Amino acid sequence: MTKELLYKYVLALGDDALIIGQRLSQWAYKGPFLEEDIALSNISLDMFGRANLFLEYAATLKGDGATADELAFKRNEREFCNHILCEQPNGNFADTMVRQFFLDAFNKLFLQKLIESKDEQLSAIAQKSIKETTYHLRHSSKWIIRLGDGTAESHAKVQSAINNLWMFTDELFESNKIDHEMVKQKIGVDCSLIKVEWDKIIDEVLSEATLSRPENSNMLSGGRAGIHTEHLGHLLSDMQYLQRAYPDAKW
Amino acid sequence: MVKEISTDAIWELLKAIPDPEIPAVSIVDLGIVRNVEFDDDQFKITITPTYNGCPAFSFMKEEIIRRLELVGIANFKVSTSLAPPWTTDWMSDEVKSKLKEAGIAPPSSKVKCPQCDSNKAEVISEFGSTACKAMYKCLECLEPFHHFKQI
Ligand SMILES: [Zn+2]
């Protein structure tokens, strides 16, 4: 029973990393300038690497010869359990940076706690990943400040991105049955406990960026239960195309 | 089976494998090879990734296998360990000077230009052409350079 729950817990963490990695990879060769293009691709690679670690571990827990590739490329939309914030479209550069900033701040706090996990493999992945996420958060925070405190147009775009994406932020701190059990066994992270710190990071950066935090309204969730926005299906059809058309293709 | 090759000899073989992205240094120099031991008739080689997203990592593993098979060693196993996480603290001073000679500022909290040793440098981007490097510009000699990030 625990093994099954642990599998689902790890799978969700893998899906979060995989889907945001795929989104960021869509910026490759389309970045606003060379250094930023490389930065976004680097962050995407970090997330793919992290997804690989989580999904390989999930595959081990699942057994029956399951592999990380199978989990990534042969599950359908409803079987993915990533947070819906991860699958939101890239939009303009401000939309991407706001999505990243919200996720980086969350990941930093989440990984800090996951290091203490009683599960050795989860703790090892967290210790490894926190170093990268620290860089990612510094990068996205700087952009939020630069865009918010920049021109009237950049300010308007980043504020509009914040307003549009805010509805997906509550889901990060929700707990389902699996989370509760994992927290009880000191394997998982109690996300309700990191919300206060997350708010603090967001408020500090937004205030320096002369931006404002929206009120909570129409907050949306469901990703952990496989209920997604219409964007995930499109992302998967692109990401999974090759393995669907040519099963087990290798190069 | 009798152990015909020493673990030291395996280390020597591994030291000859350059990092695919920074060929000036070897995978042993960088601390990617964590351990080599002979146990149960088998050489057990433990490696650790630098960055999660480092695309060179799987290449390194394949290269280790290729080089060992090339000299006729068959009884070995390469496994990956994540903890403790890789850190640039594992680099020796000798390795740091190799990086500097290759035009890459070695990991340090005080970044110095590898060309003119000036400590007046500014970050262009924290993300360089590979996951382990950041881009800087020297404010004295005006040359751009890479800094091997300290993590
Ligand atoms: Zn210089």
Side-chain angles (χ1 to χ4, degrees):
Chain A
M1 188 58 188
T2 298
K3 202 171 162 189
E4 171 72 13
L5 289 178
L6 179 59
Y7 161 70
K8 287 184 177 160
Y9 189 74
V10 177
L11 186 67
L13 300 181
D15 284 349
D16 284 340
L18 179 65
I19 300 304
I20 188 63
Q22 176 69 12
R23 271 290 179 235
L24 290 170
S25 76
Q26 293 168 342
W27 271 103
Y29 75 82
K30 294 186 192 123
F33 53 92
L34 185 61
E35 286 81 2
E36 194 48 39
D37 194 286
I38 292 171
L40 290 168
S41 299
N42 260 299
I43 299 168
S44 167
L45 275 176
D46 285 341
M47 299 319 288
F48 279 138
R50 190 178 305 179
N52 196 41
L53 292 175
F54 280 128
L55 293 182
E56 271 182 355
Y57 185 34
T60 315
L61 293 164
K62 189 167 187 243
D64 291 333
T67 67
D69 278 351
E70 259 171 41
L71 293 175
F73 298 120
K74 293 182 182 171
R75 278 179 305 142
N76 293 320
E77 191 187 344
R78 290 293 302 268
E79 296 168 282
F80 271 80
C81 35
N82 57 282
H83 288 131
I84 42 186
L85 179 57
C86 305
E87 75 208 30
Q88 295 312 302
N90 285 339
N92 62 37
F93 186 69
D95 293 320
T96 290
M97 272 308 132
V98 169
R99 185 188 62 201
Q100 200 57 33
F101 171 55
F102 288 164
L103 288 173
D104 290 341
F106 172 78
N107 282 334
K108 178 152 189 214
L109 299 169
F110 180 86
L111 292 169
Q112 267 169 359
K113 296 276 181 206
L114 193 65
I115 289 175
E116 296 158 22
S117 172
K118 240 179 57 187
D119 185 276
E120 276 181 26
Q121 185 66 5
L122 281 181
S123 169
I125 297 174
Q127 287 176 55
K128 187 104 199 94
S129 304
I130 188 101
K131 297 189 180 198
E132 302 160 353
T133 281
T134 306
Y135 267 96
H136 301 168
L137 177 60
R138 201 154 58 214
H139 172 254
S140 55
S141 305
K142 278 185 188 164
W143 268 117
I144 298 301
I145 294 164
R146 206 178 306 169
L147 295 171
D149 198 16
T151 65
E153 190 182 349
S154 71
H155 180 93
K157 283 191 169 161
V158 72
Q159 185 64 60
S160 146
I162 291 168
N163 298 346
N164 293 336
L165 291 169
W166 190 253
M167 64 193 291
F168 303 111
T169 55
D170 240 18
E171 190 191 19
L172 304 174
F173 307 98
E174 284 178 0
S175 297
N176 59 18
K177 222 173 59 199
I178 301 164
D179 295 308
H180 285 307
E181 187 55 32
M182 289 295 111
V183 169
K184 214 171 89 187
Q185 298 195 27
K186 297 190 179 4
I187 292 172
V189 175
D190 186 347
C191 289
S192 65
L193 298 179
I194 57 180
K195 174 81 163 96
V196 176
E197 279 180 83
W198 186 83
D199 282 339
K200 207 174 137 222
I201 297 175
I202 302 302
D203 285 342
E204 273 174 16
V205 172
L206 292 194
S207 121
E208 198 181 337
T210 71
L211 294 161
S212 55
R213 167 142 74 116
E215 294 296 319
N216 281 9
S217 71
N218 300 318
M219 303 308 269
L220 208 64
S221 66
R224 283 288 189 258
I227 314 290
H228 294 277
T229 56
E230 70 272 28
H231 308 294
L232 183 67
H234 295 283
L235 179 146
L236 292 182
S237 67
D238 190 20
M239 184 181 85
Q240 298 181 331
Y241 166 76
L242 197 94
Q243 285 295 325
R244 298 284 194 185
Y246 307 96
D248 305 321
K250 283 193 171 57
W251 71 80
Chain B
M1 196 193 123
V2 185
K3 175 181 158 190
E4 290 156 2
I5 303 162
S6 65
T7 50
D8 285 350
I10 301 282
W11 275 108
E12 288 306 313
L13 278 167
L14 298 175
K15 275 182 197 162
I17 303 179
D19 178 273
E21 286 173 338
I22 311 170
V25 290
S26 81
I27 59 171
V28 173
D29 286 340
L30 285 176
I32 290 162
V33 182
R34 298 309 301 150
N35 196 26
V36 178
E37 58 181 2
F38 190 80
D39 178 41
D40 202 14
D41 280 347
Q42 210 180 29
F43 287 105
K44 298 209 159 70
I45 299 161
T46 309
I47 56 176
T48 193
T50 52
Y51 283 78
N52 282 344
C54 181
F57 189 63
S58 57
F59 174 84
M60 292 180 209
K61 187 171 177 178
E62 283 164 27
E63 188 62 9
I64 292 171
I65 296 171
R66 197 183 69 84
R67 297 262 183 142
L68 293 184
E69 284 177 348
L70 208 64
V71 294
I73 301 168
N75 53 327
F76 68 89
K77 192 170 174 244
V78 184
S79 55
T80 303
S81 90
L82 294 178
W86 181 82
T87 159
T88 44
D89 297 346
W90 292 342
M91 265 183 215
S92 65
D93 287 344
E94 188 200 334
V95 176
K96 288 181 182 169
S97 61
K98 277 196 212 172
L99 285 174
K100 184 172 180 270
E101 277 166 40
I104 300 165
S108 163
S109 54
K110 295 188 188 95
V111 179
K112 278 210 289 191
C113 169
Q115 316 289 346
C116 74
D117 285 328
S118 164
N119 51 19
K120 293 197 184 81
E122 65 176 17
V123 186
I124 299 174
S125 172
E126 290 204 75
F127 300 88
S129 55
T130 64
C132 55
K133 289 179 289 188
M135 290 192 279
Y136 277 73
K137 186 174 107 180
C138 175
L139 298 176
E140 298 241 359
C141 72
L142 305 179
E143 285 289 320
F145 65 90
H146 272 126
H147 171 234
F148 201 111
K149 291 185 212 171
Q150 186 179 38
I151 68 163

